[in-house]
Amino acid sequence: QGLAWPQSLGVKPFHYGFVGGSDSHNGTPGNTAEDNFIAGGHGVADATVDRRRTGAIGGWIKGKDQNPGTLTGVWAGQNTREEIWDALQRRETFATSGTRIRVRFFGGVGLAGKGGDPVALAKNGYSRGVPMGGTLPPSSKRPTFAMHAMKDPDGANLDRIQIIKGWVDAGGGQHEKIVDVAWSGGRKRGTDGGLPGVGNTVDTKTAAYTNSIGSPELVGHWTDDEFDPKQYALYYARVIEIPTPRWSTFDAVRAGLPLLEGVPATIQERAWTSPIWYAP
């Protein structure tokens, strides 16, 4: 919607970066691990397995439909209040579904992929392009986007990195395109252009999984061959993990109860970078 406003208003009022947080009422910030949701997130309302499985919270959400919360990642020059504040202000941030994935994302002309060195990728991104949260200057040349992701050190391997492009046409119509850029394993696109699933190692009887699939690190580059230099657009990266057990599956196994109906037994945690915008 924000991309449509410049056509009528002349400014972009929704030029926002991404952050993530939790709605925990237990005084445990950052406690977003699926296997550690043993006291819920809302005090006595969901402090037991039974309340999380059968109860409701405040009359507005079922206990089984909640989740442990999300996290914000910030790319700052130093671990100081000033540097972190500056990074938030320039939107060089990313959000995760609670996992501690790390992801970098750059856009610019001439960021063609050469090798998989993440340090070189970052240096090239800063010197020849803009990082997540930035705006590409007007250009007649197609932009290339470079991305690097690393798994949560204590978590699951990575399935894939995607780019999501959004744009608004001359008539105000909103459009979205999802592109798989880098992925683990020897998978190949199908005749429809889609990428096969990564697989699933989760044993729901034990709430365990293995990192025998996926990759601990992914690097990718993508050039927008459909780029229109006269069209406002945005791009952001999405990183997806291999399947892992949901918190409700951990609850069921620990309590010796059947899996909950109506909620997934496994999830694919993920991260989203702040967008990079293009303005004619």
Side-chain angles (χ1 to χ4, degrees), residues 17-192:
F18 291 177
V19 293
S22 67
D23 190 26
S24 175
H25 294 226
N26 295 346
T28 54
N31 182 28
T32 57
E34 298 287 320
D35 64 354
N36 196 40
F37 201 49
I38 54 178
H42 294 79
V44 297
D46 61 349
T48 68
V49 173
D50 181 65
R51 287 174 180 170
R52 289 191 292 277
R53 288 172 64 90
T54 64
I57 299 167
W60 65 275
I61 187 173
K62 294 180 180 178
K64 67 178 183 179
D65 290 332
Q66 64 175 324
N67 67 73
T70 64
L71 296 172
T72 298
V74 177
W75 285 107
Q78 297 181 30
N79 189 19
T80 64
R81 290 177 183 268
E82 293 80 7
E83 290 279 355
I84 292 172
W85 176 270
D86 288 346
L88 287 165
Q89 186 178 44
R90 65 177 180 265
R91 298 176 291 270
E92 198 170 348
T93 62
F94 60 95
T96 86
S97 59
T99 181
R100 283 169 165 78
I101 294 172
R102 286 185 288 175
V103 54
R104 304 200 86 148
F105 184 52
F106 298 91
V109 175
L111 299 186
K114 294 182 180 179
D117 182 358
V119 175
L121 181 148
K123 288 182 177 179
N124 195 36
Y126 283 120
S127 64
R128 305 186 66 175
V130 298
M132 61 185 83
T135 299
L136 295 169
S139 174
S140 61
K141 297 181 179 180
R142 298 172 300 171
T144 294
F145 298 88
M147 60 219 74
H148 169 237
M150 295 183 67
K151 69 181 286 292
D152 181 332
D154 297 321
N157 279 343
L158 305 179
D159 168 6
R160 67 186 74 189
I161 304 179
Q162 300 173 317
I163 281 184
I164 291 83
K165 176 185 177 181
W167 71 98
V168 175
D169 60 33
Q174 300 175 24
H175 303 273
E176 179 183 85
K177 180 179 181 179
I178 301 173
V179 182
D180 293 311
V181 177
W183 54 87
S184 59
R187 291 174 285 168
K188 297 182 179 181
R189 299 183 190 275
T191 55
D192 61 351

